Amino acid sequence: MKIVINNCFGGFSLSPKAECEYAKLAGFEIHRYVQTKYKHREGHNLYEKTDSLNNSRLTYTFKKDCGPSFTDFPEDGEYWYSSDIERDDPLLIQVVEKLGKEASGSCAKLKIVEIPDGVSWEIDEYDGNEHVAECHRTWY
């Protein structure tokens, strides 16, 4: 079984190019918005649609087209967060294998780890640097 992990300090994230590739394979569209105004400076937030594939923590991805711009996040749950993808998702693995280093988002270095089939596993991390561990009992 193959599993995608982040192999550096920082945290798991896909690059915009990898997000677009994943969405295409999964059969849905994504719409990217970058924050251009901030409530604490201009009195309101503003998010504008972008075609840029730059790695930016200020870019937000939606499954819904929210128009050319908006000031408040839509409340309909259409925000898409690629970190919610299951790490053994065959499409995610396909994207990481295809794009290699280009699949990694900012502060990430994605790696595919292979473990034996049938193993009950979990991802453990320290400061975003992850490893796959076999599940076992734990008490606190």
Side-chain angles (χ1 to χ4, degrees):
M1 165 183 287
K2 294 180 180 181
I3 302 165
V4 178
I5 63 168
N6 180 51
N7 195 32
C8 70
F9 293 108
F12 177 89
S13 67
L14 291 179
S15 69
K17 184 175 183 178
E19 288 180 342
C20 291
E21 183 69 20
Y22 180 88
K24 183 174 86 175
L25 291 172
F28 62 88
E29 288 186 36
I30 57 174
H31 306 274
R32 299 172 47 77
Y33 291 82
V34 64
Q35 187 169 2
T36 58
K37 290 190 180 179
Y38 304 87
K39 192 174 210 167
H40 66 279
R41 285 190 219 151
E42 288 92 8
H44 69 282
N45 293 324
L46 181 64
Y47 305 88
E48 297 183 65
K49 195 166 195 174
T50 181
D51 291 329
S52 171
L53 293 181
N54 291 333
N55 266 330
S56 171
R57 295 225 183 249
L58 301 177
T59 304
Y60 303 92
T61 307
F62 294 85
K63 284 185 163 184
K64 171 185 174 180
D65 186 344
C66 301
S69 67
F70 60 89
T71 56
D72 295 315
F73 266 59
E75 294 184 19
D76 58 10
E78 289 290 333
Y79 181 69
W80 184 67
Y81 193 53
S82 61
S83 293
D84 290 340
I85 300 169
E86 295 294 327
R87 302 298 190 82
D88 60 346
D89 182 316
L91 297 179
L92 175 62
I93 292 161
Q94 185 179 340
V95 168
V96 172
E97 287 178 336
K98 178 180 177 180
L99 297 181
K101 290 180 181 180
E102 290 183 295
S104 299
S106 61
C107 301
K109 183 179 177 186
L110 302 184
K111 175 182 179 180
I112 296 174
V113 175
E114 289 196 54
I115 65 169
D117 290 339
V119 171
S120 180
W121 59 274
E122 61 189 5
I123 295 177
D124 287 334
E125 62 91 20
Y126 174 74
D127 281 349
N129 192 0
E130 301 173 335
H131 66 272
V132 178
E134 187 169 0
C135 291
H136 59 281
R137 298 186 300 174
T138 304
W139 293 266
Y140 292 93

